Amino acid sequence: LEHWHIRPEANEAIEMLQPAAEYLRTKDTPVAFPTETVYGLGADATRSGSVRGIYSAKGRPSDNPLIVHVSDLHMLRSLLGSKHTGEDVIPVRYKSLIEKFWPGPLTILLPNPDPSPLAPEVTAGLKSFGVRMPSSPLALTLIKLAGVPLAAPSANASTKPSPTAAQHVKDDLDGRIELILDGGSCQVGVESTVVDGLCNPPVVLRPGGIGMEEIRSCPGWENVVKAYKDQSEEGKAAPRAPGMKYKHYSPKARVVLYESTYRDSKHGIIGADAVTATILATAITNGDPIPSANGHFRKRIGVIRTKRWKPAAGLQCSDLQIFAGQNGDHSETSYDVYTGDLKGDNGDVIGEVFDISLGEDTRGIAQGLFSALRELDRRGVDIIFVDGIDDDLDIAAAVMNRLRKAASEIRA
Ligand code: TXA
Ligand code: MG
């Protein structure tokens, strides 16, 4: 597996991207590359052979369509066929969004012409295709040099959290691909927002890097509605973005997410508004061997903190105490992982806590989220407790959407 470090601002970047672009044009094995959202697994979207390579490398179900990435509007128009009326082929409703959010983390759906320049595998039989212009300079340059649109899903193995660093791609796809372009960690950290403006009212199919209220502020989008279902609402309607029905974002460990109702990948929704400490004790012991005082059932516990949980105070519960934030252990990743002991009521150590703080800033939380889930898996934790955030604004909706999926086993 070749791993090329590329600094987009460096002079040699273009010389390094040229052979990668050539590889994309001619080979059928996909190339991993960074975008501002997450790493993508790219292939020439106009060739069936290379697009099939994506599905097989990821183990992705073939009925889940891919997002097409373009470097400019000229390339986009070349995918839309021609209109003879003198009108622009880009539907007028998208003009305001394109102007405001491109290049950037927004994917729009467009009608796929017949015949289409796109390989049929890209759209998985749908009449529309999803497309975005990424803002990452490395991604834009790569597409431009390739001279073809790149189909690219997130570069994780199917069901795993999306990769936000080259190492994550390596962990998932080593042996399945030949080339990773490493541009460092991704700025946004969650995937693009997917919108459909071909229907009335227009809808958000997947929350992501651009918030719903930002979209609503654009002309033609005042009535935009949410068409994705968070786990709590599932069963009310069929998911509309094909990818949203699949198991997703799941680390190996069991995930317990705290919000006004809390959920647990083992038991589903257990209750509402319980005291954190009680839930914690229940979740640790419920259905599992109760940790013994002599440490025979030592547990490894991951904690992802956002606003509410304070490290120094520790998390108290009736028979267990977690002292997080002790024994500072600086990991090689961009955040600190603190390890500390989990003690029983007689003071014996019965487990180990790995504590990650993502800070209070929503953008920072989004940026570090997938990395934190993966880091805790790497540490071999049995269970991950995550402090939820209010999902009312901007990228917070995407954070909570991904966390609810990770914490739910009720996946269609
Ligand atoms: O930020 C992103 O969007 C990243 C980077 C690499 O660009 N890509 C990404 O791709 O997240 P993927 O394949 O993991 O997710 C694509 C989502 C899926 O939920 C898929 O079902 C939906 O977009 N999608 C793609 N084409 C569609 C279409 N024609 N109609 C409805 N949904 C579509
Ligand atoms: Mg994905």
Side-chain angles (χ1 to χ4, degrees):
L1 176 62
E2 301 218 26
H3 183 153
W4 298 353
H5 291 268
I6 299 174
R7 288 177 300 125
E9 70 288 356
N11 291 331
E12 75 278 6
I14 295 222
E15 277 118 82
M16 296 186 76
L17 290 175
Q18 215 111 44
E22 173 67 17
Y23 183 104
L24 280 162
R25 265 198 307 270
T26 53
K27 298 275 175 51
D28 283 349
T29 308
V31 174
F33 67 99
T35 79
E36 72 281 15
T37 57
V38 300
Y39 273 72
L41 191 59
D44 178 350
T46 67
R47 291 190 298 115
S48 285
S50 62
V51 177
R52 278 192 221 119
I54 294 177
Y55 286 96
S56 58
K58 270 195 72 138
R60 181 180 178 104
S62 61
D63 63 342
N64 191 3
L66 307 174
I67 293 175
V68 176
H69 297 68
V70 296
S71 55
D72 51 72
L73 292 182
H74 176 75
M75 190 181 268
L76 176 62
R77 290 196 175 94
S78 75
L79 299 177
L80 291 173
S82 52
K83 270 195 183 174
H84 302 291
T85 54
E87 226 181 290
D88 191 353
V89 285
I90 300 174
V92 62
R93 187 188 251 155
Y94 286 125
K95 294 280 160 88
S96 59
L97 291 194
I98 288 176
E99 213 164 278
K100 188 152 181 206
F101 301 118
W102 276 11
L106 179 79
T107 296
I108 63 176
L109 295 197
L110 287 166
N112 195 27
D114 185 16
S116 170
L118 295 173
E121 291 81 1
V122 171
T123 52
L126 296 175
K127 291 203 157 51
S128 62
F129 68 97
V131 61
R132 79 181 190 97
M133 189 190 293
S135 65
S136 149
L138 196 156
L140 280 175
T141 310
L142 181 69
I143 302 163
K144 195 151 208 101
L145 290 172
V148 288
L150 297 183
S154 48
N156 51 297
S158 250
T159 80
K160 289 284 152 212
S162 290
T164 54
Q167 184 60 46
H168 302 161
V169 179
K170 218 172 197 170
D171 291 342
D172 283 14
L173 300 180
D174 200 358
R176 295 171 162 265
I177 58 173
E178 292 167 357
L179 179 59
I180 299 179
L181 306 177
D182 185 343
S185 45
C186 301
Q187 242 170 51
V188 177
V190 292
E191 303 86 342
S192 62
T193 301
V194 181
V195 297
D196 183 353
L198 302 175
C199 55
N200 254 313
V203 296
V204 172
L205 294 174
R206 178 177 75 178
I210 303 286
M212 184 122 168
E213 69 285 1
E214 291 180 86
I215 291 168
R216 189 171 283 127
S217 73
C218 293
W221 291 82
E222 296 85 355
N223 302 323
V224 66
V225 295
K226 171 177 144 181
Y228 63 90
K229 296 283 166 198
D230 275 335
Q231 236 62 39
S232 52
E233 304 162 290
E234 229 157 58
K236 289 186 195 157
R240 294 204 35 206
M244 298 302 273
K245 74 183 180 200
Y246 295 107
K247 183 177 151 120
H248 250 111
Y249 311 108
S250 41
K252 281 184 235 115
R254 180 175 153 201
V255 176
V256 179
L257 171 65
Y258 294 90
E259 39 182 335
S260 55
T261 61
Y262 72 97
R263 69 194 61 239
D264 166 347
S265 56
K266 191 153 177 180
H267 301 287
I269 297 171
I270 316 176
D273 267 334
V275 181
T276 302
T278 317
I279 306 167
L280 189 60
T282 317
I284 291 171
T285 55
N286 201 359
D288 294 326
I290 294 170
S292 78
N294 61 22
H296 279 341
F297 298 99
R298 254 171 172 258
K299 297 236 160 207
R300 300 186 138 220
I301 293 156
V303 176
I304 298 178
R305 283 183 292 110
T306 56
K307 290 190 179 77
R308 291 178 307 211
W309 292 353
K310 306 257 183 323
L315 301 166
Q316 310 272 330
C317 47
S318 58
D319 57 344
L320 299 167
Q321 270 191 315
I322 290 181
F323 298 99
Q326 295 175 349
N327 313 334
D329 156 29
H330 201 94
S331 82
E332 59 291 300
T333 46
S334 54
Y335 43 73
D336 296 331
V337 179
Y338 293 100
T339 62
D341 292 337
L342 170 68
K343 291 186 181 174
D345 43 10
N346 62 1
D348 286 349
V349 176
I350 55 174
E352 198 175 359
V353 179
F354 300 88
D355 175 21
I356 296 175
S357 172
L358 295 179
E360 296 192 11
D361 169 52
T362 311
R363 299 209 165 260
I365 293 167
Q367 196 178 39
L369 179 68
F370 290 152
S371 189
L373 290 170
R374 283 175 175 266
E375 176 67 18
L376 291 174
D377 253 356
R378 211 175 62 76
R379 306 262 174 158
V381 303
D382 306 296
I383 188 163
I384 301 174
F385 297 101
V386 191
D387 192 12
I389 59 175
D390 291 336
D391 67 352
D392 49 350
L393 272 184
D394 57 68
I395 206 169
V399 167
M400 288 306 289
N401 173 264
R402 308 309 190 261
L403 279 174
R404 287 178 186 130
K405 283 175 191 296
S408 179
E409 263 192 355
I410 316 159
R411 299 168 174 118

